[in-house]
């Protein structure tokens, strides 16, 4: 594993623990050995989320970012594969992804056009019309009066997706090699 992947794995574990999903964070032989480290630090003792299991899982996926949201969206279509409470919550990932800050969207647009928003549009609504795992959309009016939809890709999304996909492949290979369910389910293909 690369250093960046190890760091991301630790971040994932922290997020899962924060959402009260310890059983997932330490389910594999790969991560089980680090369990004692997380419980040794006091900041892991507090601030844990409570609530229904499906909701905690959905919130964790949202916090983990685009590739995990996409993974949840994919799983939401497999109602035969997931328990009902989790499936119902994962459906919310289809159309209810939290937006990123509008200041960030403004910066991305201004960088792309090398101009201020006010010089590009007559009006620009900073409140997103919709938000998804990869991008969000804003309404705008061009200087000539035409109404537009402006799609803004999330900041650093390509780098985040590459890193997380690499980590998912690594974990899927380990699961396939070392677990009974992994051999049966074929997570690398998934």
């Amino acid at each position: 594993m690369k250093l960046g992947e190890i760091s991301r794995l630790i971040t994932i574990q922290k997020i899962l623990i924060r959402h009260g999903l310890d059983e997932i964070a330490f389910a594999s032989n790969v991560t089980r050995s680090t369990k004692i480290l997380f419980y040794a630090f006091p900041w892991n003792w507090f601030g844990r989320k409570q609530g229904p299991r499906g909701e905690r899982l959905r919130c964790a996926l949202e916090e983990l970012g685009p590739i995990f949201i996409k993974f949840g969206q994919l799983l939401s279509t497999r109602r035969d594969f997931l328990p009902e409470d989790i499936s119902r919550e994962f459906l919310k990932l289809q159309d209810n992804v939290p937006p990123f800050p509008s200041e960030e969207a403004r910066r991305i647009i201004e960088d792309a056009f090398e101009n201020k928003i006010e010089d590009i549009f007559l009006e620009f609504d900073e409140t997103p019309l919709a938000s998804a795992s990869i991008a969000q959309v804003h309404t705008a009016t061009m200087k000539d009066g035409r109404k537009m939809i402006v799609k803004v890709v999330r900041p650093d999304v390509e780098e985040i997706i590459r890193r997380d996909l690499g980590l998912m492949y690594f974990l899927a290979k380990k699961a396939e090699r070392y677990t009974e369910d992994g051999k049966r389910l074929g997570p690398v293909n998934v």
Side-chain angles (χ1 to χ4, degrees):
M1 278 185 89
K2 298 175 187 166
L3 186 58
E5 290 171 334
I6 293 169
S7 174
R8 180 62 173 159
L9 185 59
I10 291 169
T11 299
I12 290 167
Q13 286 182 301
K14 286 169 61 175
I15 290 169
L16 292 174
I17 291 167
R18 186 170 43 252
H19 287 278
L21 300 166
D22 307 45
E23 67 275 9
I24 296 171
F26 301 115
S28 78
N29 292 336
V30 176
T31 58
R32 193 173 296 129
S33 60
T34 62
K35 184 176 186 174
I36 190 69
L37 293 175
F38 283 94
Y39 291 118
F41 298 111
W43 54 81
N44 291 321
W45 303 344
F46 307 103
R48 294 165 59 87
K49 303 283 191 307
Q50 299 299 316
R53 170 182 67 169
E55 181 182 328
R56 289 181 290 128
L57 271 168
R58 176 187 48 81
C59 291
L61 292 179
E62 288 173 348
E63 191 173 339
L64 287 168
I67 206 68
F68 289 90
I69 292 169
K70 281 288 182 201
F71 186 61
Q73 290 171 340
L74 171 75
L75 289 175
S76 76
T77 64
R78 295 292 314 270
R79 297 185 75 92
D80 60 318
F81 188 70
L82 294 174
E84 179 61 30
D85 64 318
I86 295 173
S87 181
R88 194 172 40 252
E89 282 295 325
F90 282 12
L91 280 172
K92 293 178 182 177
L93 294 171
Q94 298 291 353
D95 57 4
N96 194 19
V97 178
F100 58 90
S102 50
E103 301 81 34
E104 194 71 21
R106 175 184 273 273
R107 184 194 58 75
I108 291 168
I109 293 167
E110 289 178 346
D111 287 352
F113 287 97
E114 297 178 349
N115 229 326
K116 295 281 183 203
I117 287 274
E118 298 77 23
D119 296 333
I120 304 167
F121 304 110
L122 183 63
E123 294 175 8
F124 178 78
D125 189 354
E126 300 228 358
T127 304
L129 180 65
S131 180
S133 58
I134 305 295
Q136 64 190 33
V137 294
H138 296 262
T139 57
T141 305
M142 299 299 289
K143 296 279 189 179
D144 64 7
R146 290 179 296 150
K147 302 287 184 190
M148 304 296 283
I149 297 292
V150 181
K151 186 173 187 177
V152 185
V153 175
R154 287 185 178 272
D156 305 318
V157 75
E158 188 174 340
E159 177 186 323
I160 292 166
I161 288 172
R162 285 184 196 282
R163 179 200 61 211
D164 285 352
L165 275 176
L167 182 59
M168 285 181 150
Y169 272 111
F170 172 81
L171 294 173
K173 287 175 188 173
K174 295 299 179 194
E176 238 174 59
R177 185 172 180 189
Y178 295 114
T179 69
E180 201 61 41
D181 282 342
K183 290 175 180 82
R184 183 176 54 82
L185 296 173
V188 171
N189 290 332
V190 173

